[in-house]
């Protein structure tokens, strides 16, 4: 309303590339004046809030073929970046391969938004709720750099994304999930939890994800713990992971995990929750969810 | 009776406007368009508090496609509006007092052009200190926001000698309660279509809760006779008090008259947040004492209400809060004082519950604290102090006597949830960090505008010449189900069939002055009006039918026409064909008021008790309401679906008031500008709700159904606070409840030992 403008409002031109290469070329031509879009559900909230200005051109990726498929592939699962969240939410294969990712998708926004929003968009934001879940799975992201499609580990991709050094023209094309492989006789535990400001259709304040294997002796291995929330950077919490790796769970471990999470988790305060609240919430949820998941396993002996 | 489809039998009717609303096909006034219409936009202040040194609109006016740019210089009449005190500038001339203040308005060919033009309007400001804390504003050295000072209104009520009485109390509770700046969050933001007619009249299609009041206010602003303005104001996509005051109407009207073209305005959500009313945030300090048996002896209250930049109904809301801070309890010694204070925080105004929500949260919290101190069950504590039939009203005024308070107390005492409360907090071994508790609260809530405020009522019934029975009332349909309830009353009181009826509301050219659709009054007033009209209208129908049917006497109205001995004798259409002019009956009366001369004091009250069960998640501090039971004593149920809907809807708003809603401000600007940060409950936050309607009234009662529009929203917060106390032993004083306050750290070693784990 009060933003001074030097020209009238425009309606952005919508470009409809038919191939990755064409999209990449358009972005290179437009530079900052062009933005990749698919569902544009997040972008729209940013334009409306005035935190990001409306670009002159929208490069609509939805015309590119085969980017919306969810395929089982060599024991793993490939998810196209344009797969909408509703589809991911319904996918039995995703639920089987990466329940934490599916739970993250389940908790995002509301049906009308999920019908438009894509999993690629959620990831490309750099802070979508899927990311902590992907961090605890054996996940890789497929990226097109103008010439080649390459797969990168989620952590590496995130590090680049948050460094601001990544090429703006890169296109996230999909996710590849390897089948979880733990020690013989072990059981996979995978958890995602989100805390927002109401029960559903809420931006997250805190998200946590846990992935690990537990053997018949109650020992944990392959422990991965991640946290995020809001527009904060999704991150692995390796100190807490180290506490748990190879250990059986007892009260001391729970206390140490809590402390490790609270110490390591980097987040930010906002008008609705303090940093301390978010850290404690992450610590509490990770510990409590571990305890709940292990109840009935060997770890229960300690309680 | 527990209200439900099953228990209501044939009285559970599909509402006539239901299908269109549910399917989204209903055309609201903001969906309307007209040939050649322009888009209107308003320039709001860039500053929360400043002098305007200069205002330049030339560049905006020069933009191709801009038809008019108007400012304070273009207001032909009074440059001010406000239902009670018309001092809110239509356009600010030399000073802005909040970021919603209007400075200029533009009419253009498109929204984009209008917005561009707004960006070219230059305003030079001299910044003034921004006052955001009402208590700072009360200080003697504070900058004055209005010539008369920063105090809009002061209330007092004194009875007995509280100072001495406290000395004799066995227990005294002292606490300060804080309530949020809640937003109405109607689905349809403010807007409308404004059409200058060829005959010089102006037609305003824009939502309001009192069309004739809007017409009066617009007449003052436009310097046009009221009769030259037609306000069409229904259907409305929600209001809850928020559209009672003028909002976009002055701008649409001025732009339409200036350009001679239809103008459409429709606030974005951001502009609605910025310029729209909110519930008054209140700080209520209470000191309450009782004897060793829990009998209340003394009660001292200080209310500070933040009314923002302008008055609207700030005075009336504070009057209401002052009248409700003692709840339905008989207390011998009281000293109540209230202050309604101007600040640079938006504008607070009328909102469902009208000051009762804040007051009841505080008084019910006091009763819980004293019950704990005295070692008395909190529900028993309420019984010991509850008003009985024959007791005077809260301000000592005569009121309509019912057994309502005792009825709702007894009803709640008998439910399973209250039995469960006796078991104490609940905890599931598989999830030891989720603790449950049950809490309860009670309320009495006044209806109508109160003593000394014009509160007209009335309506018209008519057999039109096309054979339709017309019911014409000056009320509005904003989702509450007024049309459905009126239809049901006409069917039940007169025997008409729904197909016989044509209900006409919300058009100042044709409706009588029925008063406002506010203050839980419309259902009561429709019922009384139809009762008053019944003898005359049915007699006139019978008389006309007798002559039309060649002398058949004793005909009575029924479905489709006039009946005798179980047979339809004459259809309404056939009857109408014999008429030269319609059969018209009108009634005019006033909302019943107390004879006690205290402005705003009420006469009719609704009573309610509520029990809730909550889950407190200690890990996150988040509270979920998992069960609710409301017992409501409001006389006969006029429309079971509407009644249930009002309690459920009121409860939904109360869930937001209690758990999530607060329009945060920083230095006079809203932080929560949209619904992604201003969080209202969704269906996932709502529990099951049971509503028990207590319909019995004393035999001599002639007032019929009492309003239920607000009562569902007023006592949930204290019941939740009570349930939380049972669950975790913490007393909530601030709404919405901050999760951080309830969060625990069960895994910190010294606490973890045998605390929750294991």
């Amino acid at each position: 309303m009060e933003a001074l403008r030097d020209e009238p409002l425009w309606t952005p031109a919508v470009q409809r590339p038919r191939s990755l290469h064409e999209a990449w070329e358009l972005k290179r031509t437009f530079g900052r004046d062009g933005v990749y879009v698919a569902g544009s559900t997040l972008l729209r909230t940013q334009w409306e809030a005035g935190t990001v200005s409306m670009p002159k051109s929208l490069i609509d990726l939805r015309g590119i073929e085969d980017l919306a498929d969810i395929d089982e592939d060599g024991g793993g699962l490939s998810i196209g970046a344009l797969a909408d969240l509703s589809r991911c939410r319904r996918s039995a294969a995703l639920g089987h391969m990466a329940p934490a990712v599916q739970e993250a998708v389940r908790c995002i926004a509301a049906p009308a938004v999920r019908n438009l929003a894509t999993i690629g968009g959620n990831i490309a934001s750099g802070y979508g709720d899927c990311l902590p879940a992907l961090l605890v799975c054996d996940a890789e992201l497929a990226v097109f750099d103008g010439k080649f499609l390459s797969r990168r580990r989620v952590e590496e991709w995130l590090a680049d994304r948050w460094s601001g050094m990544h090429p703006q023209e890169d296109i996230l094309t999909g996710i590849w999930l390897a089948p979880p492989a733990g020690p013989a006789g072990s059981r996979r535990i995978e958890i995602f939890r989100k805390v927002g400001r109401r029960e559903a259709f809420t931006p997250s304040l805190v998200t946590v994800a846990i992935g690990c294997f537990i053997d018949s002796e109650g020992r944990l291995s392959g422990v991965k713990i991640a946290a995020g929330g809001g527009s904060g950077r999704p991150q692995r919490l390796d100190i807490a992971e180290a506490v748990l790796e190879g250990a059986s769970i007892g009260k001391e471990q729970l206390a140490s995990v809590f402390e490790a999470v609270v110490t390591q988790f980097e987040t930010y305060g906002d008008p609705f929750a303090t940093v301390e609240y978010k850290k404690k919430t992450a610590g509490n949820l990770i510990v409590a969810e571990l305890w709940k998941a292990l109840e009935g396993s060997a770890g229960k002996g300690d309680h | 009776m527990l209200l439900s489809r099953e228990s209501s039998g044939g009285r559970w009717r599909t509402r006539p406007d239901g299908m269109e609303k549910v399917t989204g096909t209903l055309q609201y006034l903001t969906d309307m368009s007209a040939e050649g219409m322009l888009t209107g936009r308003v320039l709001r202040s860039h500053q929360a508090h400043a002098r305007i040194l200069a205002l330049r609109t030339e560049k905006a006016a020069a933009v191709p496609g801009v038809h008019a740019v108007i400012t304070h210089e273009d207001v032909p009449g009074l440059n001010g509006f406000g239902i009670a005190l018309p001092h809110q500038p239509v356009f600010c001339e030399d000073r802005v007092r909040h970021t919603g203040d209007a400075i200029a308005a533009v009419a253009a060919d498109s929204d984009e052009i209008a917005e561009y033009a707004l960006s070219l309007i230059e305003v030079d400001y001299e910044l003034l200190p921004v006052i955001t804390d009402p208590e700072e504003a009360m200080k003697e050295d504070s900058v004055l926001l209005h010539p008369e000072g920063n105090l809009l209104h002061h209330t007092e009520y004194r009875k007995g000698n509280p100072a001495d009485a406290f000395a004799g109390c066995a227990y005294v509770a002292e606490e300060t309660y804080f309530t949020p700046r809640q937003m109405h969050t109607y689905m349809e933001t403010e807007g409308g279509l404004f059409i200058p007619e060829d005959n010089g009249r102006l037609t305003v299609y824009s939502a309001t809760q009192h069309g004739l009041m809007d017409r009066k206010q617009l007449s003052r602003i436009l310097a046009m006779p009221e009769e030259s303005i037609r306000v069409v104001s229904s259907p409305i996509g929600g209001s809850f008090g928020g559209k009672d005051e003028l909002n976009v109407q002055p701008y649409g009207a001025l732009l339409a008259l200036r350009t001679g073209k239809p103008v459409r305005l429709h606030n974005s959500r951001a502009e609605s947040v910025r310029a729209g009313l909110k519930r008054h945030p209140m700080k209520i300090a209470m000191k309450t004492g009782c004897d060793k048996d829990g009998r209340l002896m003394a009660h001292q209250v200080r209310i500070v209400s933040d009314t923002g930049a302008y008055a609207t109904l700030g005075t009336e809301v504070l009057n209401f809060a002052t009248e409700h801070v003692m709840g339905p309890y008989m207390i011998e010694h009281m000293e109540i004082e209230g202050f309604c204070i101007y600040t640079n925080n938006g504008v607070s105004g009328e909102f469902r519950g009208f000051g009762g929500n804040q007051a009841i949260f505080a008084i019910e919290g006091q009763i819980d604290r004293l019950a704990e101190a005295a070692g008395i069950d909190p529900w028993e504590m309420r019984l010991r102090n509850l008003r009985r039939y024959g007791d005077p009203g809260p301000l000592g005024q005569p009121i309509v006597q019912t057994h309502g308070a005792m009825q709702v107390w007894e009803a709640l005492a008998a439910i399973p949830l209250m039995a469960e409360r006796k078991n104490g907090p609940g905890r599931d071994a598989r999830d030891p960090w989720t603790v449950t508790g049950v809490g309860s609260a009670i309320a009495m809530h006044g209806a109508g505008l109160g003593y000394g405020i014009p509160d007209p009522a009335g309506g018209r019934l008519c057999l039109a010449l096309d054979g339709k029975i017309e019911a014409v009332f000056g009320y509005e349909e904003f989702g509450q189900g007024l049309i459905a309830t009126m239809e049901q009353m006409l069917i039940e009181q007169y025997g008409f069939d729904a197909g016989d009826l044509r209900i006409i509301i919300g058009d100042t050219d044709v409706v009588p002055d029925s008063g406002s659709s506010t203050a839980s009054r419309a259902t009561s007033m429709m019922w009384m009006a139809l009762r008053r009209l019944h003898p005359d209208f049915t007699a006139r129908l019978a008389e006309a039918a007798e002559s039309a049917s060649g002398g058949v006497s004793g005909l009575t109205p029924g479905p489709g026409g006039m009946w005798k001995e179980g047979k339809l004798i004459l259809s309404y259409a056939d009857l109408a064909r014999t008429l030269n002019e319609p059969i018209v009956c009108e009634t005019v009366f006033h909302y019943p008021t107390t004879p006690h001369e205290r402005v705003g004091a009420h006469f009719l009250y609704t009573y309610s008790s509520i029990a809730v069960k909550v889950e407190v998640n200690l890990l996150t501090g988040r509270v979920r309401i998992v069960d609710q039971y409301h017992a409501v004593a409001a006389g006969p149920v006029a429309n079971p679906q509407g009644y249930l809907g009002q309690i459920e809807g009121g409860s939904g708003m109360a869930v937001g008031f209690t758990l999530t809603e607060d329009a945060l401000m920083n230095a006079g600007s809203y932080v929560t500008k949209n619904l992604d940060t201003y969080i209202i409950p969704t269906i996932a936050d709502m529990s099951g709700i049971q509503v028990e309607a207590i319909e019995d009234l004393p035999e001599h009662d002639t007032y019929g159904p009492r309003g239920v529009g607000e009562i569902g929203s007023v006592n949930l917060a204290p019941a939740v606070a009570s349930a939380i106390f049972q669950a975790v032993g913490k007393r909530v004083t601030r709404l919405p409840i901050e999760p951080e306050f309830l969060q625990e750290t069960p895994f910190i070693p010294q606490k973890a030992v045998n605390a929750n784990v294991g």
Side-chain angles (χ1 to χ4, degrees):
Chain A
M1 198 180 313
E2 65 265 41
L4 287 171
R5 299 183 192 285
D6 47 14
E7 52 191 309
L9 284 175
W10 57 81
T11 301
V14 180
Q15 309 293 333
R16 300 184 189 280
R18 308 299 300 176
S19 68
L20 283 172
H21 192 76
E22 191 188 340
W24 189 91
E25 287 289 351
L26 283 167
K27 174 65 181 165
R28 200 171 64 158
T29 309
F30 294 134
R32 297 171 67 88
D33 288 336
V35 167
Y36 292 131
V37 301
S40 74
T41 52
L42 175 66
L43 288 168
R44 199 174 342 193
T45 65
Q46 295 171 337
W47 296 329
E48 199 174 327
T51 52
V52 169
S53 59
M54 174 79 83
K56 292 199 170 151
S57 290
L58 304 179
I59 305 166
D60 181 359
L61 301 174
R62 291 174 301 176
I64 302 172
E65 274 183 36
D66 302 332
L67 282 190
D69 298 338
I70 301 179
D71 294 319
E72 289 179 74
D73 174 13
L77 190 69
S78 150
I79 305 170
L82 294 175
D84 65 56
L85 297 178
S86 294
R87 188 145 173 245
C88 296
R89 206 172 184 249
R90 286 191 306 266
S91 164
L94 179 60
H96 179 70
M97 189 74 72
V101 176
Q102 192 164 52
E103 176 65 10
V105 169
R106 192 186 71 79
C107 298
I108 294 170
V113 178
R114 288 192 295 263
N115 288 341
L116 279 174
T118 62
I119 193 163
N122 188 265
I123 295 167
S125 69
Y127 51 80
D129 287 347
C130 288
L131 280 161
L134 287 167
L135 282 172
V136 304
C137 299
D138 203 358
E140 292 180 337
L141 301 180
V143 177
F144 179 71
D145 66 2
K147 284 192 175 138
F148 304 109
L149 256 176
S150 57
R151 279 191 196 161
R152 310 190 55 198
R153 300 202 56 75
V154 177
E155 281 134 299
E156 286 169 34
W157 181 88
L158 265 176
D160 260 16
R161 179 72 176 67
W162 280 77
S163 72
M165 305 290 284
H166 69 295
Q168 297 289 318
E169 298 85 3
D170 278 6
I171 301 173
L172 178 72
T173 63
I175 302 133
W176 196 81
L177 290 158
S186 67
R187 178 167 72 90
R188 171 80 178 160
I189 292 173
E190 208 176 295
I191 296 159
F192 173 87
R193 288 290 175 271
K194 164 173 166 174
V195 176
R197 295 177 54 216
R198 64 183 163 202
E199 295 300 318
F201 196 14
T202 171
S204 58
L205 292 172
V206 177
T207 52
V208 299
I210 305 166
C212 62
F213 297 93
I214 182 162
D215 68 16
S216 53
E217 306 293 309
R219 274 191 304 270
L220 302 183
S221 62
V223 180
K224 290 182 182 176
I225 297 178
S231 54
R233 179 175 174 169
Q235 56 206 269
R236 284 274 295 276
L237 300 171
D238 57 9
I239 304 176
E241 291 172 359
V243 172
L244 292 166
E245 188 67 36
S248 303
I249 294 297
K251 275 181 203 136
E252 304 92 70
Q253 278 81 10
L254 293 181
S256 305
V257 170
F258 176 81
E259 201 184 330
V261 171
V262 169
T263 307
Q264 192 178 15
F265 180 36
E266 286 181 24
T267 181
Y268 64 100
D270 60 39
F272 314 106
T274 63
V275 170
E276 291 69 32
Y277 173 78
K278 291 182 179 182
K279 281 171 168 271
K280 282 191 259 177
T281 300
N284 278 345
L285 286 178
I286 288 167
V287 175
E289 292 300 336
L290 269 173
W291 182 84
K292 282 190 230 171
L294 299 178
E295 200 192 20
S297 302
K300 193 183 167 189
D302 283 336
H303 301 285
Chain B
M1 176 181 69
L2 274 180
L3 284 178
S4 67
R5 177 193 294 266
E6 292 70 31
S7 70
S8 304
R11 298 197 71 216
W12 187 273
R13 307 185 70 255
T14 300
R15 60 190 278 180
D17 51 349
M19 179 64 93
E20 282 184 298
K21 283 185 172 170
V22 170
T23 55
T25 54
L26 182 74
Q27 191 184 43
Y28 288 97
L29 302 174
T30 47
D31 294 324
M32 292 175 65
S33 57
E35 184 84 22
M37 72 178 183
L38 304 174
T39 297
R41 289 288 297 269
V42 178
L43 180 74
R44 306 278 175 187
S45 174
H46 308 84
Q47 302 296 337
H49 193 197
R51 266 184 239 294
I52 298 176
L53 302 178
L55 174 58
R56 292 178 293 279
T57 60
E58 297 77 11
K59 286 183 195 164
V63 172
V66 169
H67 293 249
V69 181
I70 57 173
T71 67
H72 64 92
E73 292 176 348
D74 304 292
V75 181
L78 176 71
N79 183 17
F81 64 95
I83 294 173
L85 174 65
H87 73 151
Q88 177 163 356
V90 173
F91 291 116
C92 295
E93 183 178 347
D94 53 7
R95 190 169 177 187
V96 289
R97 295 181 181 83
H98 77 121
T99 54
D101 259 334
I103 295 174
V106 168
D109 285 335
S110 71
D111 196 37
E112 288 77 13
I113 295 171
E115 177 154 343
Y116 177 52
L118 288 186
S119 75
L120 298 178
I121 297 174
E122 295 162 334
V123 189
D124 297 342
Y125 297 100
E126 177 193 330
L127 300 190
L128 295 169
V130 177
I131 304 174
T132 60
D133 179 350
E135 285 179 297
E136 288 297 314
M138 289 169 81
K139 291 185 178 162
E140 279 199 0
D141 58 351
S142 174
V143 173
L144 298 186
L145 293 174
H146 292 280
E148 67 276 19
N150 291 340
L151 177 70
L152 165 62
H153 186 53
H154 176 224
T155 58
E156 270 185 301
Y157 178 68
R158 285 171 212 281
K159 179 186 167 194
N161 185 344
D164 289 353
F166 276 117
C169 286
Y171 305 101
V172 174
E174 273 195 87
E175 191 71 86
T176 303
Y177 301 85
F178 299 86
T179 62
R181 190 183 307 280
Q182 189 178 20
M183 181 163 72
H184 307 75
T185 325
Y186 16 78
M187 176 180 69
E188 180 195 35
T189 53
E190 309 84 354
L193 181 64
F194 302 81
I195 301 183
E197 307 289 355
D198 293 339
N199 57 9
R201 296 184 84 218
L202 172 73
T203 305
V204 172
Y205 296 94
S206 188
T208 176
Q209 291 184 227
H210 192 186
L212 289 164
M213 178 60 78
D214 277 23
R215 192 178 73 164
K216 180 177 166 186
Q217 291 213 64
L218 284 173
S219 149
R220 284 194 302 231
I221 294 164
L222 304 172
M224 262 172 96
E226 288 190 40
E227 302 70 47
S228 299
I229 303 167
R230 177 186 177 201
V231 175
V232 177
S233 40
S234 281
I236 301 169
S239 183
F240 317 105
K243 294 173 186 162
D244 195 18
E245 186 59 90
L246 287 185
N247 41 74
V248 299
Q249 294 91 338
Y251 313 106
L254 287 164
L255 288 170
L257 292 173
R258 163 62 72 93
T259 59
K261 290 172 184 283
V263 172
R264 181 177 176 274
L265 270 93
H266 193 185
N267 280 350
S268 65
R269 184 63 68 178
E271 190 163 359
S272 175
V273 170
R274 183 168 175 171
L277 302 180
K278 310 289 180 299
R279 190 187 294 289
H280 285 80
M282 288 190 193
K283 176 182 176 186
I284 304 180
M286 285 189 172
K287 180 179 175 186
T288 314
C290 66
D291 67 13
K292 64 176 177 28
D293 298 322
R295 290 200 168 73
L296 296 172
M297 294 172 66
H299 189 42
Q300 208 172 40
V301 182
R302 185 175 190 269
I303 308 167
V304 177
S305 173
D306 178 0
T307 205
Y310 301 103
T312 181
L313 296 186
T315 293
E316 292 71 19
V317 169
L318 180 65
N319 283 341
F320 198 96
T322 303
E323 185 189 357
H324 287 74
V325 283
M326 62 295 282
Y329 306 113
M330 303 313 295
I331 311 174
E332 211 174 314
H333 303 277
M334 287 198 278
E335 186 179 351
I336 319 281
E337 206 173 6
F339 303 87
C340 187
I341 306 293
Y342 292 120
T343 65
N344 297 118
N345 294 327
V347 183
S348 307
E350 38 277 45
F351 195 150
R352 191 182 209 170
F354 210 73
N357 320 50
Q358 298 94 320
I360 293 162
F361 171 58
I363 176 65
E364 289 296 279
Q366 291 295 93
I367 304 297
D368 275 2
R369 282 159 180 78
L370 286 173
E372 185 199 1
I376 300 169
D377 174 83
W379 205 239
E380 167 63 23
M381 173 91 182
R382 284 168 171 81
L383 177 65
R384 292 186 190 179
N385 294 285
L386 204 60
R387 58 174 302 108
R388 303 298 203 269
Y389 183 91
D391 284 332
L395 301 171
Q397 81 273 31
I399 65 170
V400 174
Q401 292 295 337
T402 72
H403 299 281
M406 279 301 293
Q407 285 169 328
V408 298
W409 187 94
E410 285 167 359
L412 205 74
I415 67 168
L417 201 52
M418 289 295 273
E420 190 180 332
R421 194 175 68 87
K422 296 204 166 65
N423 301 334
R427 209 185 276 258
D428 181 344
R430 285 163 301 178
D431 181 6
W433 305 286
T434 299
V435 192
T436 61
V438 176
S440 53
I442 196 164
M444 70 188 287
H445 201 263
L449 305 187
Y451 179 86
I453 301 170
D455 204 0
R460 181 162 69 231
L461 284 181
C462 149
L463 174 62
L465 292 179
D466 65 353
K468 286 284 182 191
I469 305 285
E470 274 183 358
V472 192
F473 283 80
Y475 295 123
E476 311 296 343
E477 169 63 52
F478 36 73
Q480 82 277 45
L482 180 120
I483 292 173
T485 299
M486 192 180 310
E487 182 184 277
Q488 187 149 357
M489 285 181 184
L490 286 161
I491 291 167
E492 293 180 353
Q493 285 191 32
Y494 287 78
F496 300 134
D497 184 77
D500 301 331
L501 303 171
R502 179 161 56 227
I503 292 171
I504 299 174
I505 59 164
D507 181 344
T508 56
D509 269 12
V510 292
V511 301
D513 191 0
S514 304
S516 61
S517 305
T518 65
S520 302
R521 69 188 293 286
T523 296
S524 300
M525 292 305 95
M526 285 186 324
W527 185 87
M528 284 190 207
L530 292 178
R531 287 262 295 202
R532 284 161 170 266
L533 289 165
H534 192 273
D536 191 26
F537 191 57
T538 52
R540 299 220 9 225
L541 287 176
E543 192 184 321
E546 185 173 341
S547 101
S549 62
V552 185
S553 65
L555 294 175
T556 56
M562 301 301 287
W563 291 61
K564 185 167 184 176
E565 291 160 3
K567 275 193 199 153
L568 177 65
I569 306 296
L570 185 66
S571 75
Y572 294 122
D574 288 340
L575 174 56
R577 268 191 276 280
T578 69
L579 302 173
N580 294 321
E581 54 187 41
I583 297 174
V584 182
C585 290
E586 276 204 37
T587 179
V588 176
F589 58 110
H590 193 274
Y591 194 94
T593 52
T594 177
H596 184 73
E597 294 182 4
R598 182 177 173 114
V599 172
H602 288 84
F603 192 46
L604 282 165
Y605 288 85
T606 301
Y607 300 84
S608 158
S609 60
I610 178 174
V612 301
K613 181 175 179 179
V614 305
E615 281 180 5
V616 182
N617 184 327
L618 303 176
L619 304 171
T620 62
R622 291 185 46 76
V623 175
R624 277 188 67 212
I625 298 162
V626 295
D627 201 1
Q628 288 184 52
Y629 190 103
H630 298 246
V632 181
V637 174
N639 168 0
Q641 196 187 68
Y643 194 118
L644 186 59
Q646 283 284 24
I647 303 303
E648 288 177 345
S651 159
M653 295 194 103
V655 169
F657 178 70
T658 307
L659 297 183
T660 59
E661 292 187 44
D662 192 8
L664 289 181
M665 302 203 82
N666 180 20
S669 289
Y670 282 101
V671 173
T672 46
K673 293 179 169 67
N674 204 341
L675 301 185
D676 52 359
T677 48
Y678 186 88
I679 298 289
I680 59 169
T682 74
I683 190 70
D685 300 277
M686 296 300 293
S687 67
I689 300 178
Q690 287 184 295
V691 177
E692 178 179 348
I694 299 165
E695 302 189 80
D696 307 334
L697 289 171
E699 271 187 20
H700 56 78
D701 188 279
T702 56
Y703 299 102
R706 315 298 203 249
V708 292
E710 298 169 280
I711 193 78
S713 72
V714 299
N715 53 9
L716 181 123
V720 169
S722 187
I724 288 170
F725 180 74
Q726 184 180 56
V728 299
K730 288 183 180 170
R731 291 283 184 203
V732 169
T733 57
R734 222 174 251 278
L735 301 178
I737 297 165
E738 290 170 22
E740 192 154 8
F741 173 65
L742 298 175
Q743 184 180 41
E744 295 187 6
T745 48
F747 308 110
I748 288 180
Q750 61 271 27
K751 291 189 184 171
V753 179
N754 300 324
N756 290 316
V757 180

